[in-house]
Amino acid sequence: MITIVEANTKKLLKEFVLFPFFLYKNNPYWVPPLINDELDTFDKSKNPAFKSAEATFYLAYQKDKIVGRIAAIINWDEVNHQKKRKVRFGWWDVIDDIEVTKALLEKVYELGKKNKLEYVEGPMGFSNLDKVGVLTEGFDEIGSMITWYNFPYYKDHLEKLVYVKEKEYLENKFPFTNVKTEFFVKPNELIKRRYQLTALNFTNTKDILPYVDKMFDLFNASYANLSSFVAITDVQKEYFKKKYISFINPEYIKFVMDKDDNMVAFSIVMPSFSEALQKTKGKLFPFGFYHLLKAKKESKDVLFYLIGIDPEYQSKGVTAIIFNEYYITFKEKKIQNCIRTPELEDNHAIHNMWKHFEPVTFKRRRTYKLDL
């Protein structure tokens, strides 16, 4: 018998966060989150996503043992402003028993029907800066701090329950030795002169902070036309500023400004924390900080986390400026591998940016949809 319990206390929410630690114990590809960071994500007093969204968290039990978890989510900005009558599910983990998956998803359907929504989609988080998608290829590749890992049967469960693919995401990588400077070194200088642009580089995080609001405004403008995009609010800007900026090497954040000090492009790259997070086992103390700081200084793999270009400049070669700045930084730091985080398969503009570096798709993931 399967029992579903709402995780509505601190104790149960901690069980919700800890369940994957048991499910993926000793799995060499799963990258654990920081436990306290996850708990903060689910705390309505700390995560501003709850100002425009609601979520309920559920645990599935068999014989008093936790066998699954799921979050049922409504992003009300998406429903009310974009007219997408969708209930989301995320943070879904389960043993290989489709009956457990069915029981958990029933709770998502209940929330959707209660609010007269039309379909369910997932896995996905509250916003575009949360993790997204079920892994469908690349199960023998290590995960990252900004993606979910899952076993192959997750996809099978959803497809047996008549879910259909909604969005496909690709993860690509290429060795730094693939970078061909002829595609950006000379164009970089030409484009700077033609459009009176300047590249900004940083060595100190505090110098970045005055530009972060502009960066998120540009992020919203850059991705507004994508079908899955929900804009980041002002309150969320502050939250993500505190959550992520200190994690990232300042020299891995690049801005391009025009003559009037308007931001026309930005990019955020972060060192790979995957192996460091595995060593932390979800805890910063006593040695977690050490592993993360070591990775921040020494990792030879980098993840391209976000890149955004003002729509007016998207066909003017501004990426040459960004690539040139990263080439200088990565060469100095002896970077070996460049990894791109999940990108929509139909985002052809982003894929065309990288084509000269001969990237290889090493993972695929997707969200699934079911009409209610």
Side-chain angles (χ1 to χ4, degrees), residues 15 20 26 30 33 43 101 143 157 181 250 283 290 303:
E15 295 287 347
N26 299 323
W30 180 68
D43 188 330
T101 292
H157 282 201
T181 58
K283 298 177 182 178
Y290 167 77
L303 282 77

Side-chain angles (χ1 to χ4, degrees), residues 118-137:
E118 296 172 356
Y119 66 98
V120 56
E121 184 183 353
M124 57 203 321
F126 299 101
S127 77
N128 296 81
L129 291 182
D130 288 318
K131 299 175 183 180
V132 67
V134 155
L135 191 65
T136 59
E137 293 179 19

Side-chain angles (χ1 to χ4, degrees), residues 65-293:
K65 181 181 178 182
I66 297 174
V67 291
R69 69 171 190 169
I70 203 165
I73 304 163
I74 301 176
N75 183 314
W76 285 110
D77 282 346
E78 181 177 54
V79 173
N80 294 326
H81 303 319
Q82 297 189 0
K83 307 304 179 186
K84 293 181 180 177
R85 303 199 60 77
K86 172 170 79 181
V87 58
R88 301 168 168 225
F89 70 90
W91 287 276
W92 170 51
D93 284 293
V94 67
I95 64 169
D96 191 6
D97 183 339
I98 197 169
E99 295 302 320
V100 179
T101 292
K102 284 171 65 175
L104 287 166
L105 286 169
E106 281 296 332
K107 291 298 181 180
V108 182
Y109 307 155
E110 284 179 15
L111 180 64
K113 290 174 181 177
K114 174 185 172 185
N115 290 279
K116 297 182 172 58
L117 302 181
E118 296 172 356
Y119 66 98
V120 56
E121 184 183 353
M124 57 203 321
F126 299 101
S127 77
N128 296 81
L129 291 182
D130 288 318
K131 299 175 183 180
V132 67
V134 155
L135 191 65
T136 59
E137 293 179 19
F139 302 104
D140 57 352
E141 298 277 357
I142 193 168
S144 74
M145 70 178 294
I146 53 178
T147 57
W148 282 312
Y149 181 82
N150 58 264
F151 292 120
Y153 61 76
Y154 281 43
K155 167 180 175 286
D156 299 335
H157 282 201
L158 293 175
E159 291 179 356
K160 286 175 183 175
L161 294 172
V162 206
Y163 277 75
V164 296
K165 181 181 79 170
E166 176 64 5
K167 300 180 187 73
E168 185 92 2
Y169 295 83
L170 309 180
E171 293 179 55
N172 295 279
K173 64 181 178 180
F174 56 90
F176 184 60
T177 53
N178 273 20
V179 175
K180 300 176 177 66
T181 58
E182 63 264 29
F183 290 109
F184 56 81
V185 171
K186 287 184 179 177
N188 151 69
E189 293 299 333
L190 177 65
I191 291 159
K192 281 180 180 176
R193 288 196 301 271
R194 179 179 295 169
Y195 300 112
Q196 300 179 64
L197 302 177
T198 305
L200 290 186
N201 290 286
F202 302 92
T203 56
N204 195 307
T205 300
K206 69 177 177 61
D207 296 331
I208 297 170
L209 296 178
Y211 295 92
V212 174
D213 284 349
K214 286 184 180 181
M215 183 191 75
F216 279 121
D217 288 340
L218 182 53
F219 173 75
N220 284 339
S222 301
Y223 290 88
N225 291 330
L226 291 180
S227 61
S228 62
F229 186 73
V230 181
I232 305 299
T233 66
D234 288 342
V235 181
Q236 287 173 313
K237 290 175 191 175
E238 290 301 314
Y239 175 74
F240 289 121
K241 188 188 300 185
K242 292 174 184 174
K243 185 173 181 178
Y244 289 115
I245 298 301
S246 63
F247 243 113
I248 302 166
N249 308 43
E251 62 270 31
Y252 286 172
I253 296 179
K254 311 290 185 184
F255 297 148
V256 180
M257 315 297 287
D258 69 10
K259 61 183 175 59
D260 299 316
D261 204 36
N262 297 309
M263 189 178 296
V264 302
F266 76 90
S267 183
I268 297 178
V269 168
M270 58 174 61
S272 174
F273 290 106
S274 297
E275 292 181 7
L277 283 166
Q278 287 180 329
K279 291 173 182 175
T280 70
K281 302 186 187 302
K283 298 177 182 178
L284 285 177
F285 300 101
F287 303 115
F289 266 123
Y290 167 77
H291 295 304
L292 292 173
L293 287 173

